[in-house]
Amino acid sequence: MFETELINEIRERLSIFIGLYDSIRIVDPIKKELIKEEGACSSIELPRKGRHCYDFWEQDTVCGNCVSFVAYKNKKSTFKIERYKDGAYCIFALPIEREGRLYIVELLKKVTADDFFSDLSFNLALPLNTTTTLTELANTDELTKVYNRRYFETQLAKEIMYSSFYETNLAIMIIDIDHFKQINDLHGHLVGDEVLKQFVEVIQSVLRHDIDWMSRYGGEEFVVILKNVDFSHANKVAERIRQSVERHFFKIGDHVHRLTCSIGLSMCQSGNLKQTELLQEADQKLYQAKNNGRNCVIS
């Protein structure tokens, strides 16, 4: 049957991401039908064809923030975090076209017991029943307001999966501020924090809005993800970032600081590299940039 063949194809393509998800669902977001489901994530008996996709949440109506409908409407992958009873689930929705019809493949992962939520309390005096608030708390670096490392490691696996599904290219940069320790030692950590904020703004000014994204990787290291780019374009973007940082005047109070950065660039073509391999390659390139005198891009 078509549904079984699609499930098998998805399972084969996602084999390197085993553990990232607990359940696979094929959904018709217009009819709200659950066409096929496999996995251990479901808290109810796996529904047969024709059952509503929202039966998983044991409710009688369509979800107000239906991630599959958003993925269907925008024709691009989408994810959300949803509270359910005493747990939380990450739902990743992928639009897949087969036989002239657009379906949505949902990957579900129960994340309550994972480190993903280790810093969150379910007793916070915030409206955590709203997906937006919960997601922002879990994913954002408090100082720079870009994504944090937890989000990066989760989302990168999905970006590689997307690259494999749609046979597109993915570029990753690891960017390190040169001699940042000297700023902290000479001017204090408050000045260093302001430099980090401005550094992020400089990088974001080069990136494509709502397509590329960046995350704080740790300390003064950041990662940038470029989607649907070839090697030449990725190199040009990396060089523009390096030049923009070099030319920028970092104004902190009455002082002006000039900085440079080193960049390691790695490419993933149609999901040909695993997450660890992609990161290791970018990290090695960054190490070479440092050894080559800093303020350069190695790809």
Side-chain angles (χ1 to χ4, degrees):
M1 292 178 62
F2 157 72
E3 295 89 353
T4 302
E5 291 177 357
L6 182 55
I7 282 282
N8 291 335
E9 178 185 345
I10 294 166
R11 187 188 298 111
E12 181 179 353
R13 291 194 181 192
L14 301 182
S15 60
I16 63 173
F17 302 106
I18 193 70
L20 176 63
Y21 58 90
D22 297 315
S23 180
I24 306 174
R25 298 168 15 129
I26 302 177
V27 171
D28 184 329
I30 301 302
K31 297 181 180 180
K32 308 303 178 186
E33 288 181 351
L34 180 59
I35 299 172
K36 185 77 173 179
E37 178 172 15
E38 288 189 8
C41 188
S42 181
S43 60
I44 58 177
E45 184 179 354
L46 297 184
R48 299 175 182 176
K49 181 177 180 180
R51 291 289 299 276
H52 295 118
C53 56
Y54 49 79
D55 285 345
F56 176 87
W57 311 107
E58 297 183 358
Q59 60 186 44
D60 299 324
T61 186
V62 178
C63 302
N65 57 347
C66 178
V67 68
S68 289
F69 182 75
V70 174
Y72 177 89
K73 181 178 67 175
N74 297 331
K75 292 183 174 57
K76 67 178 183 179
S77 56
T78 309
F79 94 101
K80 71 173 181 178
I81 299 171
E82 186 72 39
R83 288 286 302 276
Y84 174 64
K85 292 185 176 180
D86 61 345
Y89 292 81
C90 180
I91 305 101
F92 185 61
L94 278 161
I96 301 289
E97 186 173 353
R98 287 294 184 274
E99 300 177 2
R101 184 179 174 188
L102 191 64
Y103 296 88
I104 300 299
V105 176
E106 288 186 353
L107 307 179
L108 283 78
K109 173 70 175 178
K110 189 172 184 179
V111 294
T112 313
D114 292 0
D115 290 341
F116 188 82
F117 281 88
S118 62
D119 295 335
L120 294 180
S121 167
F122 283 93
N123 296 318
L124 286 174
L126 292 170
L128 290 185
N129 57 315
T130 61
T131 303
T132 301
T133 302
L134 184 60
T135 302
E136 289 178 352
L137 283 171
N139 295 342
T140 305
D141 176 64
E142 185 176 357
L143 175 65
T144 61
K145 306 307 178 185
V146 296
Y147 293 121
N148 58 24
R149 182 163 180 167
R150 180 190 294 118
Y151 174 87
F152 164 72
E153 292 178 343
T154 303
Q155 186 64 18
L156 178 60
K158 296 171 185 175
E159 296 287 7
I160 297 174
M161 178 177 59
Y162 184 95
S163 171
S164 175
F165 256 101
Y166 297 106
E167 298 182 349
T168 58
N169 295 337
L170 183 74
I172 177 173
M173 304 177 204
I174 301 182
I175 307 173
D176 185 81
I177 302 176
D178 297 330
H179 305 297
F180 181 74
K181 185 176 181 300
Q182 294 180 8
I183 294 177
N184 281 334
D185 291 344
L186 293 175
H187 304 285
H189 288 278
L190 291 180
V191 171
D193 287 348
E194 290 301 317
V195 166
L196 290 175
K197 293 177 185 178
Q198 292 186 30
F199 184 74
V200 165
E201 292 175 357
V202 173
I203 294 176
Q204 288 179 324
S205 69
V206 178
L207 304 181
R208 297 169 296 176
H209 182 63
D210 289 337
I211 299 177
D212 307 324
W213 56 276
M214 67 178 298
S215 171
R216 189 177 181 186
Y217 196 54
E220 69 273 20
E221 280 191 351
F222 294 84
V223 287
V224 168
I225 301 297
L226 306 178
K227 296 189 284 188
N228 300 321
V229 294
D230 58 23
F231 181 75
S232 175
H233 181 79
N235 265 290
K236 290 177 181 178
V237 174
E239 183 59 27
R240 286 205 302 269
I241 290 174
R242 187 200 66 78
Q243 292 178 5
S244 296
V245 171
E246 185 179 32
R247 295 167 181 169
H248 186 75
F249 293 90
F250 291 82
K251 298 178 181 178
I252 313 295
D254 297 329
H255 299 279
V256 176
H257 304 273
R258 302 297 297 273
L259 300 173
T260 61
C261 66
S262 301
I263 302 176
L265 172 65
S266 179
M267 294 290 300
C268 176
Q269 298 176 330
S270 302
N272 66 324
L273 293 178
K274 295 182 179 180
Q275 181 169 343
T276 53
E277 296 171 337
L278 188 62
L279 281 171
Q280 186 177 24
E281 183 175 307
D283 193 56
Q284 290 173 348
K285 299 291 179 60
L286 175 62
Y287 183 77
Q288 292 177 33
K290 292 288 188 181
N291 283 344
N292 285 4
R294 296 180 169 84
N295 191 25
C296 62
V297 176
I298 298 295
S299 56

